[in-house]
Amino acid sequence: MKKYVTVILSVLFCMLAALAGCGEPPQNNAAVPDGISVSGMKTAFVYGERFSSAGLKVTVSLSDGTKRTAVSGEYTVDSSAYDATAEGDYSIVVTYKERELKTSYTVTVSKTQASGGESEDKDEEDQKKIDLWIIAGQSNAAGYSNLTQAVAGESYSYRELLAGLDARNASGYNVKYYGTTDVDYLSSMPEITMQNKVGMGLGRTADFIGPELGMANVLAEHTSKAETGILKFACGGSFLCDIGCEAEYPTQKQYGNWTSPSIRAMAKENGLTIHANNGLCYDRLLEVIEQGVRLLLADGYSVSVKGYIWMQGEADAGNAPGTDPAVWANRYEAYLKLFIGDLRAAVAEITQDEQAKTRPFVIGKINPSGDYGNFEEKVRTAEDRVAASLANVYTVESSDLLIKDGGTVLGSDAWHFNARDMFTLGQRFAAKALEALAL
């Protein structure tokens, strides 16, 4: 009997301890969003002006006291109350979709007329304008072409060679730049500053370049009333098509991948595993675009997206684990089509520039001489097929820019172009895009 009494008393004691908060300490849960705030948006509109949320920055407060910037796909903007045909104040509602967190801000529509009936609006010809170009992809977009490498058979480096080709490669072209590279999933996006010039050293470190340098060389010569800017986010070794291979290929988790919302939806329908980092590169690209555009708008610019540059696919040309080693390369065509549509639509929403949905999209065909795997030609063919099937999509050839010639490495290493060839590739990107724009 005493034994049963002891057991009962023990149970009662545990219940009372739990009620009193004296039991085992609660487990720490992962931080969750518990509030949002907005900043950077336009709040004053002229009578008849279409509503725009361009420049809007949504900050998410987390339960552990930290904050982060939301990307466009994570929230909605409800401007249904806005009426451009009536003066007044209107409430714009922003909703963070994951937890239905809401906030709102007020915009004002007013008629601003100078004496004599002339509009006080700034003359369109006097507005600061900037044409934007977007670069994305893996390491040959990020910039792994080494400036310190000695030119084959010469005593000087590629840095010296490029400075001799055009002094602006060292001093900088009058092209604005906003971007970063190689941010893994454990790291927050770094603080990025808008740079007023594009020169050498905007790759993975100050000793490397990507396609932005050659692009700036061509774009700086293009006569336009607008200034020019480049926005870039890229990650070395990042995939487009490796959904479902996380367990066998864990390095995919380092940077996530480029799967856009439509790709993730298709993969889910096909029963593939969608882990938390799928699409991380895509989302971070949008974050760079959003923040870059916000800074330009705050500085008084009117932005216009002119084109997209995509240098990726080397990873997807490799051997996939499992029964079908070509599965990544075989998916590439379908996935890239979805990616292009999603990116164009997202950028149009961010910039409030409808023409961004149809601007030239230039694909750099992966190099057939790099050490990528067994399926380079499958990916290269897929890139050509995408260009042939989508409006205003083009490919640029790289096969003559040899990374390896037999057993001799001509590039910075066995996977990346040397700096002279990367400069040439960037020139080709810009020339093709300008040709497509008929500019």
Side-chain angles (χ1 to χ4, degrees):
M1 181 69 179
K2 291 171 93 176
K3 178 179 178 182
Y4 293 117
V5 170
T6 301
V7 171
I8 293 169
L9 289 173
S10 297
V11 172
L12 289 171
F13 177 78
C14 290
M15 293 173 64
L16 290 170
L19 290 171
C22 298
E24 293 185 4
Q27 298 296 312
N28 290 327
N29 295 321
V32 296
D34 61 9
I36 60 172
S37 59
V38 294
S39 60
M41 59 284 184
K42 180 178 180 178
T43 58
F45 293 82
V46 177
Y47 185 88
E49 184 178 3
R50 186 181 66 175
F51 172 78
S52 170
S53 63
L56 175 67
K57 177 182 178 181
V58 179
T59 301
V60 182
S61 300
L62 303 176
S63 56
D64 63 358
T66 61
K67 296 181 178 181
R68 70 175 183 83
T69 301
V71 298
S72 60
E74 294 181 305
Y75 62 87
T76 60
V77 179
D78 181 3
S79 61
S80 58
Y82 182 82
D83 186 354
T85 65
E87 291 186 284
D89 295 333
Y90 301 97
S91 180
I92 308 300
V93 180
V94 179
T95 303
Y96 183 72
K97 294 188 286 189
E98 181 184 340
R99 297 176 65 87
E100 286 296 307
L101 301 173
K102 295 180 182 290
T103 191
S104 63
Y105 64 96
T106 301
V107 299
T108 301
V109 174
S110 60
K111 290 183 178 180
T112 54
Q113 296 290 328
S115 59
E118 294 182 357
S119 172
E120 289 180 344
D121 292 345
K122 192 173 184 180
D123 188 276
E124 188 174 335
E125 292 299 317
D126 294 330
Q127 290 179 354
K128 292 198 297 184
K129 299 178 182 178
I130 189 164
D131 293 338
L132 293 182
W133 302 84
I134 295 166
I135 301 175
Q138 58 182 105
S139 53
N140 278 314
Y144 278 48
S145 296
N146 195 339
L147 293 165
T148 67
Q149 179 186 6
V151 177
E154 305 293 346
S155 60
Y156 49 84
S157 68
Y158 280 104
R159 185 187 298 276
E160 295 168 296
L161 173 67
L162 290 175
L165 287 177
D166 193 313
R168 294 172 297 176
N169 286 331
S171 62
Y173 296 90
N174 290 324
V175 174
K176 291 185 181 295
Y177 177 83
Y178 185 83
T180 191
T181 68
D182 298 335
V183 185
D184 66 34
Y185 80 100
L186 292 172
S187 305
S188 300
M189 289 288 281
E191 291 292 329
I192 312 172
T193 57
M194 183 71 70
Q195 301 186 41
N196 289 322
K197 288 183 178 291
V198 168
M200 289 187 280
L202 294 177
R204 63 189 298 191
T205 74
D207 286 329
F208 294 82
I209 64 167
E212 66 285 333
L213 188 68
M215 287 181 62
N217 174 266
V218 172
L219 295 174
E221 300 303 316
H222 172 60
T223 55
S224 171
K225 294 180 180 178
E227 296 182 47
T228 301
I230 292 173
L231 308 178
K232 182 174 88 170
F233 182 75
C235 283
S238 51
F239 289 77
L240 180 65
C241 300
D242 64 332
I243 289 180
C245 298
E246 294 80 15
E248 301 88 349
Y249 201 78
T251 55
Q252 191 270 358
K253 297 178 182 178
Q254 184 177 5
Y255 298 116
N257 59 24
W258 290 97
T259 58
S260 62
S262 294
I263 297 174
R264 282 170 256 171
M266 172 188 280
K268 190 173 182 179
E269 289 176 2
N270 292 335
L272 298 176
T273 303
I274 308 295
H275 71 77
N277 293 329
N278 276 132
L280 184 60
C281 288
Y282 176 84
D283 292 342
R284 283 178 161 171
L285 170 63
L286 295 188
E287 185 175 343
V288 166
I289 295 168
E290 283 183 301
Q291 298 308 313
V293 168
R294 182 175 63 85
L295 289 174
L296 291 167
L297 291 173
D299 198 23
Y301 283 94
S302 169
V303 301
S304 175
V305 176
K306 292 300 182 184
Y308 307 83
I309 307 301
W310 177 245
M311 188 68 223
Q312 195 278 334
E314 296 94 337
D316 302 275
N319 297 333
T323 57
D324 182 5
V327 63
W328 298 333
N330 288 336
R331 292 175 183 166
Y332 201 80
E333 180 182 347
Y335 279 17
L336 186 55
K337 287 179 182 179
L338 295 174
F339 174 87
I340 292 171
D342 283 350
L343 181 60
R344 281 171 158 173
V347 172
E349 180 180 348
I350 290 169
T351 60
Q352 295 295 296
D353 177 7
E354 281 295 303
Q355 293 188 79
K357 292 180 179 179
T358 56
R359 289 301 194 190
F361 193 104
V362 181
I363 302 166
K365 293 178 67 175
I366 67 170
N367 194 276
S369 69
D371 281 351
Y372 306 130
N374 294 325
F375 304 109
E376 290 94 345
E377 285 307 319
K378 277 184 174 289
V379 172
R380 285 169 53 82
T381 298
E383 290 168 332
D384 280 332
R385 288 173 64 89
V386 170
S389 63
L390 295 182
N392 223 10
V393 176
Y394 309 90
T395 56
V396 162
E397 188 56 80
S398 71
S399 60
D400 59 317
L401 308 175
L402 293 179
I403 292 174
K404 288 179 64 182
D405 186 6
T408 302
V409 176
L410 303 178
S412 292
D413 48 50
W415 303 275
H416 304 110
F417 300 100
N418 65 51
R420 178 65 180 90
D421 287 349
M422 175 55 73
F423 182 72
T424 298
L425 185 60
Q427 291 176 309
R428 291 178 183 179
F429 284 145
K432 175 59 71 174
L434 289 173
E435 176 189 344
L437 286 167
L439 295 176

